[in-house]
Amino acid sequence: MITITFPDKSTRQYEAGTTPLQVAESISPRLAQDILAATINGEDWDISRPIDKDAEIKLFKWDDPEGKHAFWHSSAHLLAEALQELFPGVKFGIGPAIENGFYYDIDPNGHNITAADFPKIEAKMLELAQKKEPIVRADISKADAMKLFGDRNEEYKCELISELEDGHITTYTQGAFTDLCRGPHIANTAPIKAVKITSLAGAYWRGDEKRNQLIRVYGITFPKKKMLDEYLVLLEEAKKRDHRKLGKEMELFAFSSNVGAGLPLWLPKGAALRDRLEQFLRKIQKKYGYLQVITPHIGNKMLYVTSGHYAKYGKDSFQPIHTPEEGEEYLLKPMNCPHHCEIFRAYPRSYRDLPMRLAEFGTVYRYEQSGELHGLTRVRGFTQDDAHIFCAPDQIKDEFLKVMDIIFYIFKALKFDNYEAQISLRDPAHKEKYIGSDENWHLAEQAIIEACAEKGLKARTELGEAAFYGPKLDFMVKDALGRRWQLGTIQVDYNLPERFQLEYTGADNQKHRPVMIHRAPFGSLERFVAVLLEHTAGRFPLWLAPDQAVVLPISEKFNDYAYEVAKQLNTADIRAIVDDRNEKIGKKIRDNELKRIPYLLIVGEKEAENGEISVRKQGEGDKGTMKITTFAEYLTQEVNNMINQ
């Protein structure tokens, strides 16, 4: 008999070889119907895989991320099985689950696969799913795996197998399809009830532009058709909120092939928006004792050799800039932190200088493959709201609490009400993978855990997810469509102070190594603006909107009065513009509503005679007629109320 321990620490006895599915059945038939995945002693586990020794078990349903992951991983295999039947001879790369659905990279091997094929791929997947094919795991030797996939001319699989350790290779088979895979998977294909192939994209094998370009087939599946229908509605809404579409309509940013891929151009309205976000954060940071610094856009190659960034990213980043002086090389700045280390190192430091909080809106450059670029969310040049805190080990907790305050303030001001956090700690079983003493790691990890507890923040703890140089706290927000975005990271770093030999003189008159904390509440301004655009559908909070009001004269003869209204409002510190195009008022209203300007101010003969404006509010319609000064006071009060909240 084996002992199975449940999350609530209760235990039950089972025969050796019992599967997680049988454990679920012993609890209730309904649970057995619902579970999709399990972990055994923290290891991902198929629900049909036997357990042969005492174990801690967790069972996962559709609503759990682990349940969705197994469901979509199995769906990727189902997609491959369907493609194998429909397009004989296609070759397979990799097919993982992703945050929303799955994809499979395939070499079409002469077949022309287009969006027109989506319906027949979906139909074939459903046909195969209805056969309730068991998904069977098997251990296989490296030699047998090479023969199995080599006989099928699957060179991509053979390449992967060549890099695996013998004795740790497994395959999964459903129907006539066998794949190289670690798992986990659902027990059979029966739960897959609704299928949608969403798109095709190009993808270089293993992300290498010098290798074959494959076709990446994206899809999503659900256990109920109603769920798919709801998801498709959400998808349509997401298209309307696409930040690339909104950015163009609102005249915020543009891209130019002449400037270069992944290098955004901020237009006047977008630049003003960025500036307000920067001023907003600068004001908060000033209250918390941050010192603003500025560093160059390039740095000597040796700076990044010292920091370790060149060894880690050099091959895949923008290549060195060679100067006329022989042997002198510079790099476009990929990170701000090495520069901030040099600022700390510029003068002798004392414990009285700590914590030292250096902040910069620093633009950095990282090479992204052209196929990975996406609007503002994946670019090659971006500005981080970067700060580095140099502190003593016993100051870590207080600094974490203060950074958390800043992040919470930003989330509240911008109405990111739904967020979660993850504490990433080192793997206690493999301490050799991490830099820094046990004492310092314990101090830092406890500081993060205690800071979260003090703030009442329910954070998920993940062992083994820390960076090699320190533990961290990540914040994930859910936008208005329920999509998860990582915004805000606080990272402890023992590595860079060591690499740069940073020191301060302690109260004991001895030299000590400071701890470094990286933090970026926005992450990057580019990505943050993209997320904010899609979260708000372009309807920014009034205090942040690029234009707060637009004056719409009903005909050209009222243009002078319209400009007088805008002038008075601008004097009252309200961002107002005039739309003086020779168009009908209905078209002007529609066009400016598309630009998401919060207030539309209509002026004609009556308004000009009485010194008034007719006010329409975006999404609320007619607000009546009022004096210019009354509207200015009304809008100013609305902004003040938002900020005070």
Side-chain angles (χ1 to χ4, degrees):
M1 300 292 284
I2 58 172
T3 300
I4 298 297
T5 304
F6 294 92
D8 64 359
K9 301 305 177 189
S10 64
T11 61
R12 289 192 185 192
Q13 301 288 311
Y14 293 92
E15 294 284 344
T18 298
T19 66
L21 183 58
Q22 289 168 329
V23 171
E25 284 168 346
S26 75
I27 297 169
S28 82
R30 182 55 191 265
L31 178 61
Q33 273 186 339
D34 291 345
I35 71 156
L36 297 167
T39 57
I40 299 298
N41 295 329
E43 182 184 347
D44 290 331
W45 207 265
D46 305 320
I47 59 173
S48 55
R49 184 178 170 190
I51 310 164
D52 57 11
K53 60 185 177 181
D54 293 350
E56 293 184 0
I57 192 170
K58 287 184 181 176
L59 303 173
F60 302 107
K61 304 178 185 178
W62 170 259
D63 290 334
D64 300 307
E66 295 87 347
K68 285 190 178 75
H69 184 275
F71 189 92
W72 284 332
H73 192 180
S74 299
S75 299
H77 283 221
L78 185 65
L79 166 63
E81 185 184 6
L83 292 171
Q84 182 178 266
E85 282 204 22
L86 292 169
F87 306 100
V90 294
K91 298 178 182 181
F92 297 101
I94 59 169
I98 53 177
E99 187 170 358
N100 282 304
F102 53 89
Y103 68 77
Y104 218 115
D105 287 344
I106 64 162
D107 181 337
N109 198 20
H111 292 285
N112 183 29
I113 301 173
T114 69
D117 297 309
F118 289 1
K120 71 178 181 183
I121 296 171
E122 292 161 1
K124 178 58 72 173
M125 287 177 71
L126 284 172
E127 176 194 320
L128 294 169
Q130 287 162 8
K131 293 180 179 179
K132 302 183 181 180
E133 297 174 333
I135 303 174
V136 181
R137 182 180 190 271
D139 293 302
I140 189 171
S141 70
K142 190 166 186 172
D144 287 346
M146 287 295 279
K147 183 173 188 329
L148 173 66
F149 290 96
D151 288 349
R152 287 164 32 181
N153 296 316
E154 291 277 10
E155 66 257 35
Y156 305 105
K157 297 294 183 185
C158 288
E159 182 179 325
L160 296 173
I161 294 164
S162 70
E163 298 167 7
L164 297 177
E165 185 183 347
D166 204 356
H168 297 273
I169 302 173
T170 53
T171 62
Y172 282 81
T173 299
Q174 61 198 54
F177 178 72
T178 297
D179 205 353
L180 175 73
C181 187
R182 283 195 299 258
H185 286 280
I186 58 178
N188 59 61
T189 59
I192 301 169
K193 304 288 189 189
V195 175
K196 185 69 179 176
I197 302 301
T198 52
S199 63
L200 298 175
Y204 291 106
W205 172 234
R206 309 195 86 168
D208 185 344
E209 288 177 313
K210 298 186 176 103
R211 308 290 299 274
N212 289 352
Q213 187 172 51
L214 308 180
I215 294 175
R216 180 165 291 176
V217 186
Y218 285 96
I220 194 163
T221 53
F222 292 91
K224 294 178 183 173
K225 186 176 183 304
K226 183 185 174 190
M227 290 178 173
L228 174 60
D229 293 340
E230 290 168 353
Y231 175 77
L232 293 176
V233 170
L234 208 63
L235 213 56
E236 283 306 307
E237 181 60 26
K239 286 178 186 174
K240 294 176 194 171
R241 291 171 178 250
D242 188 318
H243 74 276
R244 296 167 298 178
K245 173 177 174 287
L246 295 178
K248 186 174 182 180
E249 291 172 356
M250 297 172 70
E251 300 172 8
L252 299 178
F253 58 87
F255 289 90
S256 162
S257 58
N258 291 329
V259 173
L263 300 171
L265 300 169
W266 289 92
L267 307 180
K269 293 181 193 301
L273 171 68
R274 270 183 59 142
D275 184 59
R276 269 186 293 283
L277 283 170
E278 285 189 25
Q279 294 306 325
F280 168 65
L281 188 54
R282 283 180 202 271
K283 191 174 176 183
I284 302 168
Q285 289 179 163
K286 192 173 181 182
K287 289 180 183 175
Y288 282 88
Y290 283 80
L291 305 170
Q292 206 71 29
V293 297
I294 299 172
T295 61
H297 287 245
I298 64 173
N300 191 290
K301 176 182 166 183
M302 290 312 298
L303 178 70
Y304 308 111
V305 170
T306 301
S307 70
H309 290 114
Y310 186 75
K312 191 166 179 62
Y313 303 111
K315 188 178 71 171
D316 300 317
S317 63
F318 287 106
Q319 294 306 292
I321 302 162
H322 297 274
T323 72
E325 190 170 322
E326 189 176 345
E328 189 175 51
E329 293 180 300
Y330 284 81
L331 288 174
L332 289 172
K333 179 171 64 174
M335 299 271 190
N336 296 304
C337 29
H339 297 252
H340 291 190
C341 287
E342 290 295 331
I343 289 174
F344 182 89
R345 202 163 78 149
Y347 293 94
R349 304 296 181 184
S350 156
Y351 70 95
R352 294 186 183 89
D353 298 321
L354 306 185
M356 179 178 287
R357 309 177 188 96
L358 303 180
E360 175 179 18
F361 288 93
T363 301
V364 297
Y365 303 89
R366 298 180 195 168
Y367 183 76
E368 295 277 359
Q369 292 180 353
S370 56
E372 299 293 325
L373 298 173
H374 182 82
L376 293 180
T377 58
R378 292 292 292 270
V379 288
R380 289 173 172 168
F382 54 93
T383 302
Q384 293 180 306
D385 58 318
D386 227 347
H388 297 96
I389 302 164
F390 300 90
C391 64
D394 61 358
Q395 295 172 324
I396 292 174
K397 179 180 166 184
D398 281 345
E399 291 308 305
F400 255 79
L401 286 167
K402 288 169 184 170
V403 176
M404 288 167 74
D405 282 340
I406 292 172
I407 289 172
F408 293 154
Y409 185 90
I410 290 168
F411 287 175
K412 188 166 186 181
L414 297 169
K415 298 193 178 345
F416 286 113
D417 302 319
N418 191 351
Y419 58 85
E420 56 195 45
Q422 175 179 307
I423 302 170
S424 298
L425 307 178
R426 69 173 172 171
D427 181 351
H430 296 283
K431 293 180 181 179
E432 73 282 354
K433 295 195 299 188
Y434 306 91
I435 188 172
S437 69
D438 284 350
E439 181 187 358
N440 279 343
W441 270 89
H442 178 73
L443 201 63
E445 291 180 336
Q446 283 305 116
I448 297 172
I449 292 165
E450 288 171 14
C452 290
E454 282 189 30
K455 290 294 179 187
L457 178 67
K458 291 180 180 176
R460 189 171 75 253
T461 300
E462 294 288 347
L463 295 177
E465 289 296 312
F468 75 91
Y469 48 82
K472 63 177 178 171
L473 179 64
D474 290 320
F475 289 87
M476 306 290 295
V477 301
K478 278 192 176 181
D479 68 12
L481 298 181
R483 298 170 301 181
R484 295 166 77 247
W485 301 87
Q486 184 177 325
L487 291 179
T489 294
I490 320 173
Q491 169 81 62
V492 178
D493 186 350
Y494 295 111
N495 180 45
L496 286 184
E498 190 71 37
R499 281 180 169 271
F500 281 92
Q501 297 293 293
L502 303 184
E503 293 179 335
Y504 67 92
T505 303
D508 58 0
N509 211 32
Q510 299 298 309
K511 295 295 184 185
H512 298 273
R513 190 82 71 215
V515 180
M516 189 175 179
I517 299 175
H518 306 250
R519 50 109 281 199
F522 291 158
S524 79
L525 283 166
E526 284 73 11
R527 190 166 180 274
F528 191 81
V529 167
V531 174
L532 192 58
L533 266 172
E534 299 197 9
H535 178 57
T536 62
R539 295 177 179 85
F540 293 121
L542 186 59
W543 64 269
L544 186 60
D547 297 313
Q548 295 171 313
V550 57
V551 189
L552 309 177
I554 62 172
S555 71
E556 287 181 328
K557 67 179 179 178
F558 301 110
N559 283 356
D560 289 345
Y561 179 64
Y563 279 103
E564 178 58 31
V565 170
K567 182 181 175 183
Q568 289 188 40
L569 292 176
N570 286 326
T571 302
D573 206 22
I574 290 165
R575 298 184 291 278
I577 59 171
V578 176
D579 182 349
D580 62 1
R581 293 175 301 155
N582 186 20
E583 298 282 2
K584 291 184 178 178
I585 193 66
K587 178 169 173 52
K588 286 186 181 183
I589 289 171
R590 285 192 302 276
D591 289 351
N592 285 285
E593 281 181 337
L594 265 182
K595 292 178 181 176
R596 276 76 175 173
I597 299 174
Y599 282 98
L600 311 181
L601 312 178
I602 299 159
V603 295
E605 186 172 357
K606 180 182 166 189
E607 288 81 10
E609 284 176 1
N610 299 325
E612 294 178 333
I613 49 179
S614 291
V615 180
R616 285 178 64 90
K617 189 173 184 183
Q618 182 84 247
E620 294 182 18
D622 187 21
K623 306 295 281 187
T625 302
M626 55 183 84
K627 297 286 186 185
I628 301 169
T629 53
T630 304
F631 173 73
E633 290 166 5
Y634 171 83
L635 192 147
T636 302
Q637 187 59 48
E638 187 177 346
V639 169
N640 288 338
N641 288 344
M642 281 182 176
I643 291 170
N644 290 336
Q645 285 173 11

